[in-house]
């Protein structure tokens, strides 16, 4: 029996503003779409945080036995500057500035994106479509929206008629914005005179003579609007209605709001049952910004070559740091926070290594079944990874107690314990017990063993001052020596 049958999940649905019991459209199958990167620069660390959160969601759904089709797109055309309908395509602008072909820009930064995600041990999505690979589908979608009366063509460009749409539907239901308020707060922008109303957004833009990226269409040689691609690709691969749509909180308006409107205008139905939004990543309490210099990219964080952090951090530590906060919470990236996560990560990895050397007994003094269910309960509650990690640290305590002879575990419970730890630490959280962590643990163990032998010699020679000094000095750096019947062991805090 699949695990999902005994583990109902509650998901915080952004469109209703509450946690809801998740019920897939087709039992045992899940369609999930997550907005991917615009590949005109190196992937932003905030984007990595979002994709890392949904990688964990993907991993847990697969662990429960669901067959998941996970679609994450690549935006390689149509994303204009400042997310407005005016300005220059971000990819084309980069190509012009560097005097290279737009597809060279796309290739370079798509490769960077994949390399970074591979470094952080991401699972690849089931399908990774590109905007330029789905121009035909986007043109067909525009035709349908025009046919239904919710879009108009002006001078070769096509715009979505937000006011007309709002007469029959509700524009703003995801972001909880009223059209009247948007009208009141809108200022006139240059280059928008073709629109009936400032709130209307582009479905197709006529390319200016200097515009590099262009495709033929019934209206002009041009390019699709940014919002359109996700509507076209999500519904092509997941159906007119699918289960989960995810992305960063910054995409809720206008991008996701426009996706809903486009789908309802073309097909008359809302496309998504559960909207999930990952919150923002801050740096030292402030928003990341290139203009202020308050920013660091993933490679700088991994290499240590930056002005914010005292050292380099491994991908596993960064991934663990991310999982210590709910995906719906603002996460503040700080040096102290990463240093604390590093200690926690290696404590967990050491516990995993120690678990392999535990021997079974005739009886169990630890309730493994309850502990295991607590792990599932945490993830079933809107993927609550911080509570899961608290339960994993509880497991590390059990491991140390068993190793020290203060607790016992039967063979069957031990197998369940090992498989559950493996499932949640490695498969669900995606943490790798890297060679570096193993090497570091082995070297630490070797060094402490030398000190333990020196302490034993000091005690044999009745040099209790030296014996106590070794114990106290180790304790000061977080290494606790414990004397037992089978000799001296140590644990790290």
């Amino acid at each position: 029996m699949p695990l999902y049958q005994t583990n109902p999940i509650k998901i915080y649905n952004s469109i209703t503003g509450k946690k809801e019991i998740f019920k897939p459209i087709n039992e045992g199958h899940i369609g999930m779409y997550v907005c991917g990167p615009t590949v005109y620069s190196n992937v932003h660390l905030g984007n990595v945080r979002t994709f890392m959160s949904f990688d964990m969601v993907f991993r847990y759904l697969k662990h429960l036995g669901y067959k998941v089709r996970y679609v994450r797109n690549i935006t390689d055309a149509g994303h204009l500057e400042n997310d407005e309908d005016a300005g220059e395509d971000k990819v084309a602008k980069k190509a012009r500035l560097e005097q290279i072909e737009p597809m060279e820009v796309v290739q370079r930064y798509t490769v960077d994106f994949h390399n970074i995600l591979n470094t952080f041990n991401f699972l690849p999505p089931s399908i990774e479509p590109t905007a330029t690979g789905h121009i035909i589908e986007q043109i067909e979608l525009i035709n349908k929206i025009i046919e239904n009366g919710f879009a108009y063509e002006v001078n070769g460009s096509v715009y979505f008629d937000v006011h007309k749409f709002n007469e029959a539907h509700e524009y703003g239901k995801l972001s909880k914005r009223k059209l009247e308020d948007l009208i009141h707060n809108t200022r006139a922008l240059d280059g928008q005179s073709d629109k009936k109303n400032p709130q209307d957004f582009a479905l197709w833009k006529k390319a200016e003579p200097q515009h590099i990226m262009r495709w033929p269409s019934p209206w002009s040689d041009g390019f699709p609007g940014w919002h359109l691609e996700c509507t076209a690709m999500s519904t092509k691969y997941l159906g007119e209605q699918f289960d989960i749509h995810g992305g960063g909180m910054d995409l809720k308006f206008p991008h996701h709001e426009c996706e809903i409107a486009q789908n309802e205008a073309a097909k008359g139905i809302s496309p998504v049952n559960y909207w999930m939004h990952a919150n923002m990543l801050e740096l030292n309490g402030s928003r990341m910004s290139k203009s202020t210099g308050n920013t660091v990219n993933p490679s700088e964080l991994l290499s240590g070559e930056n002005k914010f952090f005292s050292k380099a951090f491994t991908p596993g530590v960064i991934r663990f740091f991310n999982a210590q906060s709910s995906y719906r919470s603002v996460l503040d990236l700080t040096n102290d926070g990463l240093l604390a996560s590093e200690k926690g990560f290696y404590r967990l990895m050491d516990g995993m290594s120690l678990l392999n050397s535990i021997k079974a007994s005739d009886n169990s003094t630890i309730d493994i079944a309850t502990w295991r269910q607590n792990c599932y309960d945490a993830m079933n509650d809107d993927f609550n990874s911080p509570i899961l990690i608290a339960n994993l640290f509880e497991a590390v305590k059990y491991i140390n107690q068993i190793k020290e002879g203060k607790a016992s575990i039967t063979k069957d419970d031990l197998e369940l314990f090992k498989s559950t730890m493996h499932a949640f630490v490695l498969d669900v959280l995606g943490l790798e017990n890297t060679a570096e962590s193993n090497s570091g643990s082995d070297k630490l163990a070797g060094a402490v063993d030398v000190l333990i032998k020196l302490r034993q010699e000091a005690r044999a020679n009745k040099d209790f001052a030296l014996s106590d000094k070794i114990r106290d000095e180790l304790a000061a750096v977080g290494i606790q020596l414990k004397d037992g019947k089978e000799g001296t062991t140590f644990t790290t805090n």
Side-chain angles (χ1 to χ4, degrees):
M1 183 173 63
L3 285 167
Y4 65 76
Q5 292 189 357
T6 54
N7 285 281
I9 302 173
K10 282 187 177 179
I11 293 179
Y12 182 86
N13 193 348
S14 296
I15 202 162
T16 61
K18 60 184 180 181
K19 290 181 186 178
E20 299 175 359
I21 294 291
F22 175 67
K23 294 180 180 179
I25 295 169
N26 299 302
E27 185 178 351
H29 295 75
I30 294 175
M32 181 170 78
Y33 186 90
V34 173
C35 293
T38 302
V39 283
Y40 70 99
S41 64
N42 297 111
V43 62
H44 189 277
L45 195 59
N47 294 140
V48 172
R49 193 248 169 140
T50 295
F51 301 136
M52 196 174 287
S53 296
F54 285 104
D55 181 64
M56 180 186 68
V57 170
F58 180 38
R59 285 170 172 274
Y60 186 61
L61 295 175
K62 283 169 64 72
H63 169 72
L64 290 182
Y66 285 108
K67 291 183 178 179
V68 186
R69 177 176 287 180
Y70 175 22
V71 182
R72 187 186 64 216
N73 72 298
I74 296 286
T75 296
D76 56 354
H79 194 164
L80 301 180
E81 296 176 87
N82 304 315
D83 301 337
E84 299 288 353
D85 287 336
E88 194 171 1
D89 181 289
K90 291 182 177 182
V91 173
K93 181 179 181 180
K94 187 77 169 184
R96 178 176 58 78
L97 293 174
E98 297 193 10
Q99 296 186 319
I100 58 176
E101 284 289 327
M103 283 301 133
E104 288 185 69
V105 173
V106 167
Q107 179 69 8
R108 176 190 302 172
Y109 295 113
T110 300
V111 169
D112 168 73
F113 174 68
H114 288 148
N115 286 341
I116 289 296
L117 266 56
N118 288 338
T119 299
F120 285 110
N121 194 33
F122 278 62
L123 295 178
S126 313
I127 303 173
E128 192 173 53
T130 63
T132 56
H134 295 76
I135 299 295
I136 292 173
E137 289 85 352
Q138 294 177 76
I139 290 173
E140 289 175 350
L141 190 59
I142 295 171
N143 274 325
K144 190 67 176 174
I145 295 172
I146 292 174
E147 182 184 317
N148 290 344
F150 295 113
Y152 56 93
E153 183 264 331
V154 181
N155 297 328
S157 293
V158 181
Y159 296 98
F160 189 94
D161 192 333
V162 171
H163 289 244
K164 183 73 176 293
F165 173 81
N166 199 57
E167 291 174 5
H169 301 269
E170 181 186 356
Y171 182 78
K173 61 185 175 184
L174 176 65
S175 58
K176 309 299 185 287
R177 302 187 188 203
K178 297 293 183 184
L179 184 56
E180 300 78 35
D181 297 333
L182 294 173
I183 294 170
H184 180 73
N185 293 324
T186 299
R187 59 185 175 84
L189 295 173
D190 293 337
Q192 293 191 338
S193 57
D194 285 347
K195 297 182 181 182
K196 289 182 180 178
N197 298 285
Q199 295 77 33
D200 297 348
F201 57 88
L203 298 175
W204 187 265
K205 289 285 287 182
K206 179 181 179 181
E208 299 299 326
Q210 71 273 16
H211 197 94
I212 309 170
M213 303 180 80
R214 59 176 67 217
W215 292 265
S217 80
W219 315 286
S220 64
D221 276 7
F223 53 94
W226 171 41
H227 311 308
L228 192 69
E229 58 169 300
C230 287
T231 298
M233 291 187 285
S234 62
T235 54
K236 174 173 181 174
Y237 295 110
L238 299 175
E240 292 186 359
Q241 280 190 305
F242 56 95
D243 299 298
I244 298 171
H245 193 315
M249 192 73 75
D250 56 321
L251 297 181
K252 186 183 288 187
F253 185 89
H255 186 53
H256 291 161
E257 199 72 73
C258 293
E259 279 191 61
I260 294 173
Q262 289 166 160
N263 212 80
E264 291 185 354
K267 299 165 186 177
I269 54 175
S270 191
V272 180
N273 286 346
Y274 301 86
W275 285 91
M276 296 178 65
H277 289 93
N279 217 320
M280 308 302 289
L281 179 68
E282 293 184 343
L283 180 59
N284 293 322
S286 300
R287 182 176 179 178
M288 286 198 192
S289 169
K290 288 183 180 179
S291 61
T292 63
N294 191 55
T295 186
V296 61
N297 67 38
S299 58
E300 291 170 338
L301 190 57
L302 293 167
S303 68
E305 296 176 0
N306 61 80
K307 63 182 180 181
F308 299 102
F309 300 99
S310 59
K311 55 174 289 185
F313 293 94
T314 66
V317 168
I318 297 167
R319 188 163 181 126
F320 183 73
F321 172 78
N322 183 71
Q324 285 184 292
S325 176
S326 165
Y327 76 91
R328 289 197 293 120
S329 300
V330 174
L331 180 58
D332 189 16
L333 187 66
T334 66
N335 189 65
D336 287 346
L338 279 173
L339 289 172
S341 286
E342 184 176 55
K343 288 182 179 179
F345 173 77
Y346 286 119
R347 180 182 166 205
L348 184 57
M349 291 299 108
D350 289 342
M352 290 286 287
S353 298
L354 197 58
L355 180 58
N356 292 325
S357 64
I358 284 178
K359 295 179 181 179
S361 301
D362 294 332
N363 66 330
S364 287
T365 59
I366 298 169
D367 187 350
I368 294 299
T370 298
W371 166 82
R372 179 176 182 270
Q373 190 57 52
N374 289 341
C375 292
Y376 279 101
D377 289 345
M379 289 301 289
N380 294 340
D381 183 17
D382 196 31
F383 310 97
N384 197 328
S385 55
I387 299 300
L388 170 64
I389 288 173
N391 282 297
L392 295 177
F393 279 135
E394 189 71 16
V396 173
K397 287 183 183 178
Y398 296 156
I399 292 166
N400 287 321
Q401 288 171 359
I402 295 167
K403 192 68 178 176
E404 294 162 11
K406 296 178 180 177
S408 60
I409 190 168
T410 63
K411 182 179 179 181
D412 288 346
D413 278 353
L414 181 57
E415 290 305 311
L416 184 64
F417 196 18
K418 286 180 178 180
S419 65
T420 306
M421 285 291 284
H422 184 282
F424 282 104
V425 175
L426 306 182
D427 296 342
V428 174
L429 294 181
L431 302 175
E432 289 186 293
N433 196 357
T434 59
E436 181 174 345
S437 69
N438 283 332
S439 173
S441 297
D442 291 344
K443 289 177 181 178
L444 174 64
V448 175
D449 282 343
V450 170
L451 291 171
I452 287 173
K453 289 177 182 177
L454 290 174
R455 180 168 174 264
Q456 289 171 340
E457 290 176 7
R459 294 175 77 180
N461 295 329
K462 297 187 178 181
D463 188 350
F464 299 114
L466 178 57
S467 170
D468 292 345
K469 181 177 175 62
I470 292 171
R471 180 197 64 205
D472 295 342
E473 292 284 345
L474 286 173
V477 295
I479 298 171
Q480 303 290 334
L481 297 185
K482 297 186 178 181
D483 298 317
K485 294 179 180 178
E486 298 180 0
T488 302
T489 60
F490 74 95
T491 58
T492 57
N493 295 332

